[in-house]
Amino acid sequence: ESLEFIDSSDKPRPLVIRTNTLKARRKDLASALMKRGVNLDPLASWSKVGLKISESPVPIGATPEYLSGMYMLQSAASMCPVLALSPQPQERVLDMS
């Protein structure tokens, strides 16, 4: 078990982006990125905003969609607190990570 853990820890994590739902829908963002040749999939069934990038001929942090704020680079683990806390209107959440 220890060796499996060490081996898996040595592999690069997948590149994940989070859709800015104030500016785009995930479906529309995925379509725009695929037109640029980006291979991607929805992150997981629990995420309505995440996309997992498997391959990209363009720098993900320099696309017009990124520069216009349609998405941000964010790890999948960083999306979990929002689901767990389920903030409501007028509530504030302080992210100290």
Side-chain angles (χ1 to χ4, degrees):
E1 240 176 68
S2 299
L3 293 176
E4 287 178 38
F5 175 76
I6 291 169
D7 285 341
S8 66
S9 296
D10 199 29
K11 295 178 184 169
R13 291 181 301 161
L15 179 60
V16 176
I17 62 174
R18 181 181 182 277
T19 308
N20 179 352
T21 56
L22 298 175
K23 295 193 173 196
R25 295 185 321 180
R26 182 175 72 171
K27 179 175 75 169
D28 297 334
L29 174 61
S31 176
L33 291 174
M34 286 190 290
K35 287 179 184 173
R36 296 187 186 288
V38 178
N39 290 333
L40 53 83
D41 290 300
L43 175 61
S45 60
W46 53 264
S47 174
K48 295 180 182 175
V49 295
L51 291 168
K52 183 170 50 174
I53 309 297
S54 52
E55 191 178 344
S56 177
V58 297
I60 290 298
T63 66
E65 293 81 12
Y66 175 78
L67 296 172
S68 68
M70 292 175 70
Y71 67 89
M72 63 233 34
L73 301 169
Q74 188 175 45
S75 71
S78 296
M79 296 180 199
C80 294
V82 174
L83 296 172
L85 293 172
S86 186
Q88 301 302 309
Q90 306 304 317
E91 290 182 340
R92 294 182 185 194
V93 176
L94 176 61
D95 182 356
M96 298 181 64
S97 59

